[in-house]
């Protein structure tokens, strides 16, 4: 299905193909983690990174004046494709080009760009993104590292005041990094102005730690051992005033602190918002890793035979067994769904940040932002990125595990890549934002108006806002009564329905059910919060009691968005075979999503027993249909041969 491959690649096919070609020419890296020692593996990853940088892809998303192409969408698409190969290479590229160079680009000004960007994009200047601390990961606003301005010398003094303030899990820190983008509490004239970012040298030219900098290795990890994660401790390290990345805030030589964004919370979240690219990228990489696993497992199942009909000398292909179809094909359908949800996210990201004019400004009037697009668009993008990353990385964990099981003992062998994919992607659920925290962010955006609630994202801040302002508005916005009335027209779910199969493949039925679930959960959360506040309970405790409900509402929202992204993709697909097969795959995804939560739909009167059984029967029927072209569906991902031509598949072809 060449047409499907073209459709999946979308407008960034050229960027994807450049990376595919690069991976094909560096296929030896795929087993480097198995045959090399840890340091040798890390050095091999670095060598490959520099070779690929020389081909120009990392600069694709950066301004043309620094050798880039100004193509943010292509940059993200290429990064996603990089995850078809060695994931340590992908993560190291993300640290170097997405986080380190991205911080310089988005948080720095022209002098930082001119001095550092070109070398960062070629890999000549290797850097770290030193945000996470031992005691603070998701709660960035409470980081403890300090950067205190000394006006007598015109320098910032960067210091690690406590053991919990140690920078931890920092990519490039243990072996290769020379310069770190360090996030610290900025202290000027005895006043703390919140978290800001400074560039701090950590190694000399010969690779030795600089005075006042203590570097250590995080040691062996569950996966990604080609990335040199390390720890950094600063002991009164001095850097010049110009080390501050000062796009959003400046410190004059005399110690005067200035920012055009007066509100400190607004300034903090504007700075963090410019770094949403990392979250967008890691979600896409997880989906790509799922594609690799699905390709391997489906091809194996379409070649490997096991047992057969009694009395027959022929054994049956694994993929012909209904249960094997049930294990793999819904995961394949969900991989497609996540692909299209990610594509919508990347389009939005490129639209909003591609229009960035570089000028910081106060968002208090809601008309503009410190980045391209208005504040409402950026807040919506951040929620979309958070939700897509959460579901995409959870999907990778589940899909890769299912693929491993479906390949039996062969899937357990490292040579067949599934075990490596499993271990290397496991951390995706917790870096670039813990998924549970991210869904809380999504739910907060649903419960409150983004512009008015722009503030703390911690439970206490959320509870205070809800208590003080908008619970009734949130309930009213759900419009549950009207939605139920509309659902009655497309959801024949009551006991008097004469045809339980009616409308099961209707897009409106699918989205109507998922929208009902989302808005019902949202209204329930709002009512529980309001009841607790009205009863005089402490705000934090009220929110804490409802936290599981909040997360469920956030997940329901993202699942509905993923479903509708798949709908849009089917509608926009070329008519004929491509669209027809995508429609069957979409129907499978939609019905399995409903089937997986049928207890909830039945509890809330949206699904009858006969209709639930009809959904299961149709899922089985769709699995049987899709089985006939399942291999073509995974081939359409375009994973380079070396990444999926694993021994168990190659051997099966000749058995």
């Amino acid at each position: 299905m060449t047409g499907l491959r073209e459709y999946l690649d979308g407008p960034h096919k050229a960027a994807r193909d450049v990376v595919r070609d690069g991976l094909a020419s560096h296929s030896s890296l795929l087993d480097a983690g198995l045959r090399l020692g840890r340091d040798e593996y890390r050095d091999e990853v670095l060598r490959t990174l520099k070779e690929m940088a020389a081909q120009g892809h990392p600069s694709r998303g950066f301004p043309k004046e620094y050798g880039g192409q100004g193509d943010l969408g292509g940059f993200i698409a290429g990064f996603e494709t990089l995850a078809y190969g060695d994931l340590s290479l992908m993560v190291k590229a993300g640290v170097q080009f997405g986080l380190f160079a991205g911080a310089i680009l988005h948080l720095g000004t022209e002098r930082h760009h001119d001095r550092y960007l070109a070398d960062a994009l070629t890999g000549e200047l290797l850097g770290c993104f030193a945000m996470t601390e031992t005691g603070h990961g998701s709660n960035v606003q409470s980081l403890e590292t300090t950067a205190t301005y000394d006006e007598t010398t015109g320098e910032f003094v960067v210091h690690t005041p406590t053991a919990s303030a140690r920078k931890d899990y920092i990519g490039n820190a243990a072996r290769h990094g020379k310069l770190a983008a360090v996030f610290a509490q900025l202290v000027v004239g005895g006043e703390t102005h919140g978290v800001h970012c400074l560039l701090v040298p950590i190694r000399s030219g010969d690779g030795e730690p600089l005075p006042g900098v203590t570097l250590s290795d995080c040691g062996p990890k569950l996966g990604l051992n080609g990335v040199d994660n390390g720890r950094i401790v600063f002991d009164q390290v001095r850097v010049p005033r110009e080390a501050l990345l000062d796009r959003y805030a400046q410190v004059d030589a005399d110690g005067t602190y200035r920012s055009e964004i007066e509100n400190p919370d607004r300034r903090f979240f504007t700075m963090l918002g410019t770094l949403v690219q990392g979250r967008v990228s890691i979600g896409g990489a997880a989906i790509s890793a799922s594609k690799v696993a699905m390709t391997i497992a489906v091809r194996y199942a379409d070649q490997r035979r096991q047992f057969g009909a009694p009395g027959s000398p022929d054994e049956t292909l694994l993929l012909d067994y209904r249960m094997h179809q049930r294990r793999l094909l819904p995961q394949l359908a969900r991989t497609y769904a996540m692909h299209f949800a990610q594509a919508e996210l990347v389009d939005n990201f490129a639209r909003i940040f591609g229009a960035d004019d570089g000028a910081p400004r106060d968002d208090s009037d809601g008309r503009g932002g410190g980045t391209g697009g208005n504040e409402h668009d950026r807040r919506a993008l951040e929620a979309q990125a958070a939700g897509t990353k959460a579901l995409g990385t959870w999907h990778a964990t589940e899909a890769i595990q299912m693929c491993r099981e479906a390949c039996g003992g062969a899937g357990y062998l490292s040579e067949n890549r599934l075990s490596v994919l499993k271990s290397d992607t496991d951390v995706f659920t917790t870096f670039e934002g813990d998924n549970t925290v991210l869904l809380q962010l999504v739910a907060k955006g649903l419960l409150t108006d983004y512009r008015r609630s722009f503030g703390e994202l911690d439970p206490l801040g959320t509870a205070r806002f809800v208590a003080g302002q908008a619970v009734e508005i949130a309930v009213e916005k759900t419009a549950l009564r009207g939605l139920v009335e509309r659902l009655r027209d497309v959801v024949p779910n009551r006991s008097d329905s004469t045809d339980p199969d009616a409308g099961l493949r209707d897009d409106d039925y699918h989205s109507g059910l998922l929208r009902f679930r989302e808005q019902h959960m949202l209204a329930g959360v709002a009512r529980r919060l309001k009841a607790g506040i009205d009863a005089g309970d402490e705000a934090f405790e009220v929110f804490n009691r409802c936290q599981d409900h909040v997360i469920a509402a956030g997940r329901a929202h993202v699942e509905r968005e993923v479903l509708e992204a798949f709908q849009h993709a089917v509608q926009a697909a070329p008519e004929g075979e491509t669209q027809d097969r995508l429609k069957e795959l979409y129907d499978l995804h939609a019905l399995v999503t409903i089937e997986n939560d049928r207890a909830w739909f039945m509890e809330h009167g949206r699904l009858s027993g006969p209709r639930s059984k009809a959904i299961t029967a149709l899922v089985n029927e769709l699995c049987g249909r899709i089985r006939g072209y399942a291999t073509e569906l995974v081939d359409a991902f375009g994973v380079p041969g070396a990444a999926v031509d694993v021994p168990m598949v190659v051997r099966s072809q000749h058995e």
Side-chain angles (χ1 to χ4, degrees):
M1 285 192 285
T2 304
L4 182 56
R5 162 78 177 272
E6 297 284 331
Y7 188 58
L8 288 176
D9 277 351
H12 306 299
K13 172 176 168 47
R16 296 183 192 276
D17 283 343
V18 166
V19 177
R20 285 185 178 112
D21 291 343
L23 291 174
S25 63
H26 294 93
S27 59
S28 63
L29 189 62
L30 290 171
D31 66 348
L34 303 177
R35 57 182 171 79
L36 299 177
R38 188 178 66 188
D39 287 345
E40 290 78 13
Y41 180 26
R42 291 172 172 180
D43 291 344
E44 182 73 4
V45 168
L46 175 61
R47 183 186 64 79
T48 307
L49 179 82
K50 288 186 174 182
E51 289 180 6
M52 296 193 74
Q55 297 170 359
H57 171 70
S59 63
R60 183 181 290 271
F62 287 80
K64 294 180 180 179
E65 55 266 35
Y66 302 106
Q69 301 176 36
D71 178 11
L72 282 174
F75 177 82
I76 300 295
F79 184 84
E80 294 170 3
T81 307
L82 193 59
Y84 285 165
D86 179 84
L87 288 169
S88 286
L89 174 64
M90 182 275 298
V91 170
K92 195 172 184 75
V95 170
Q96 175 67 22
F97 306 118
L99 296 177
F100 173 64
I104 294 171
L105 175 65
H106 293 300
L107 301 181
T109 48
E110 186 174 357
R111 68 169 178 267
H112 303 108
H113 301 164
D114 290 342
R115 181 174 178 182
Y116 299 111
L117 269 185
D119 286 344
L121 294 178
T122 62
E124 290 304 309
L125 174 62
L126 296 170
C128 307
F129 186 79
M131 176 182 282
T132 301
E133 296 179 358
T134 301
H136 289 90
S138 298
N139 187 9
V140 177
Q141 207 165 9
S142 295
L143 295 179
E144 297 177 82
T145 300
T146 57
T148 304
Y149 185 63
D150 182 353
E151 63 184 70
T152 62
T153 62
E155 296 172 314
F156 286 102
V157 181
V158 181
H159 187 60
T160 304
T162 66
S164 61
R166 177 187 64 184
K167 296 297 181 182
D168 214 343
Y169 321 117
I170 309 301
N172 269 352
R175 187 168 178 84
H176 296 139
K178 299 293 180 61
L179 185 68
V182 178
F183 288 78
Q185 300 288 348
L186 197 72
V187 182
V188 181
E191 181 180 356
T192 300
H193 294 277
V195 174
H196 292 63
C197 185
L198 304 90
L199 296 177
V200 183
I202 59 172
R203 277 190 177 87
S204 62
D206 60 6
E208 292 301 313
L210 290 170
V213 178
T214 301
L215 303 172
S216 57
D217 198 311
C218 288
K221 307 184 292 289
L222 179 62
L224 299 175
N225 284 300
V227 182
D228 54 323
N229 293 94
R231 301 179 172 111
I232 312 175
V233 174
F234 301 101
D235 183 10
Q236 307 292 341
V237 175
R238 290 180 171 267
V239 294
R241 181 171 59 92
E242 292 75 19
L244 176 68
L245 295 179
D246 58 351
R247 178 176 179 179
Y248 297 106
Q250 302 79 40
V251 175
D252 295 335
D254 64 0
T256 301
Y257 177 88
R258 296 180 291 106
S259 175
E260 294 184 30
I261 304 176
E262 295 182 2
N263 183 287
D265 288 337
R266 202 177 300 275
R267 183 169 59 246
F268 170 74
F269 285 106
T270 298
M271 287 191 286
L272 284 195
T274 64
L275 303 175
V276 71
Q277 178 175 312
R279 198 164 285 163
V280 174
S281 298
I282 205 63
I287 297 163
S288 291
S290 303
K291 295 175 184 177
V292 177
M294 294 305 312
T295 301
I296 293 171
V298 169
R299 286 182 179 177
Y300 181 72
D302 203 24
Q303 298 170 7
R304 179 73 159 85
R305 295 181 180 274
Q306 187 84 299
F307 302 109
S312 171
D314 298 324
E315 291 190 300
T316 301
L317 290 170
L318 291 179
L319 200 52
D320 286 335
Y321 286 104
R322 176 52 51 80
M323 196 60 214
H324 212 81
Q325 295 169 9
R326 266 288 197 156
R327 298 169 85 184
L328 289 181
L329 299 186
Q331 294 291 352
L332 178 58
R334 189 167 182 83
T335 302
Y336 266 77
M338 293 307 310
H339 169 92
F340 290 121
Q342 175 71 9
E344 284 196 357
L345 172 61
V346 172
D347 286 346
N348 287 336
F349 174 79
R351 173 179 57 83
I352 292 172
F353 282 90
D356 191 357
D357 63 8
R361 47 193 180 269
D362 196 328
D363 297 333
S364 58
D365 59 3
R367 295 177 298 178
T371 59
N374 59 44
E375 181 186 333
H376 177 270
D377 286 346
R378 289 185 289 108
R379 302 258 59 82
L381 175 69
E382 288 166 14
Q384 185 185 11
T388 304
K389 184 267 178 184
L391 262 64
T393 55
W394 271 328
H395 168 65
T397 297
E398 182 179 353
I400 295 169
Q401 174 64 23
M402 185 60 72
C403 289
R404 208 293 300 158
E405 291 182 25
C407 293
Y412 197 65
L413 298 178
S414 294
E415 66 178 10
N416 290 317
R417 292 210 68 202
L418 292 173
S419 66
V420 176
L421 287 169
K422 179 178 167 63
S423 58
D424 282 352
T425 58
D426 191 78
V427 74
F428 288 6
T429 60
T430 52
F431 74 50
E432 290 300 327
D434 179 280
N435 285 352
T436 300
V437 176
L438 293 183
L439 286 185
Q440 183 172 292
L441 183 154
V442 172
K444 181 194 178 222
L446 298 172
L447 282 165
T448 63
D449 177 78
Y450 267 120
R451 182 173 64 84
R452 295 174 61 197
S453 66
F454 195 82
E456 295 104 348
L457 291 179
D458 59 278
L460 180 58
T462 303
R464 283 174 174 165
F465 178 83
V466 171
Q469 298 185 54
V471 174
E472 291 290 355
I473 294 173
V475 174
E476 292 169 6
K477 282 184 177 179
T478 62
L480 274 175
R481 185 172 302 170
L483 179 60
V484 171
E485 293 298 324
R486 293 195 300 274
L487 271 175
R488 287 173 180 165
D489 297 330
V490 296
V491 183
N493 61 314
R494 299 181 299 282
S495 59
D496 60 351
S497 175
T498 58
D499 182 6
D501 295 340
L504 285 182
R505 298 188 65 179
D506 188 323
D507 291 0
D508 288 340
Y509 170 62
H510 306 146
S511 57
L513 272 183
L514 265 61
R515 194 172 289 273
F516 173 84
R517 180 181 64 173
E518 171 191 344
Q519 296 188 356
H520 190 286
M521 286 184 174
L522 181 63
V525 170
R527 285 194 299 269
R528 287 182 64 190
L529 289 169
K530 185 176 187 302
I533 297 300
D534 288 349
D537 294 341
E538 198 272 325
F540 182 88
E541 180 57 31
V542 171
F543 186 87
N544 196 39
R545 288 201 302 262
C546 300
Q547 195 170 27
D548 59 332
H549 200 161
V550 169
I551 300 302
R555 181 158 191 158
H557 169 76
V558 183
E559 286 192 343
R560 192 263 304 166
E561 285 194 322
V562 170
L563 178 101
E564 293 181 351
F566 204 167
Q567 284 182 358
H568 301 155
V570 174
Q571 293 161 6
E575 293 183 0
E577 183 181 60
T578 295
Q579 188 176 65
D580 293 344
R581 292 188 169 179
L582 280 176
K583 179 61 168 73
E584 288 194 330
L585 204 58
Y586 160 78
D587 287 338
L588 177 60
H589 168 70
L591 292 171
V592 168
T593 300
I594 296 167
E595 184 185 48
N596 286 342
D597 207 16
R598 58 184 165 187
W600 189 95
F601 290 114
M602 294 176 80
E603 281 180 352
H604 293 82
R606 293 294 95 201
L607 199 63
S608 67
R611 196 159 180 81
S612 174
K613 293 177 181 178
I615 287 174
T616 295
L618 184 51
V619 166
N620 286 338
E621 179 184 335
L622 287 168
C623 283
R625 292 183 195 173
I626 293 168
R627 183 267 174 269
Y629 53 89
T631 301
E632 297 173 59
L633 290 173
V634 296
D635 289 348
F637 292 143
V639 182
V644 288
D645 291 341
V646 296
M648 69 176 176
V649 174
V650 174
R651 281 197 295 266
S652 294
Q653 289 175 333
H654 300 288
E655 287 177 352

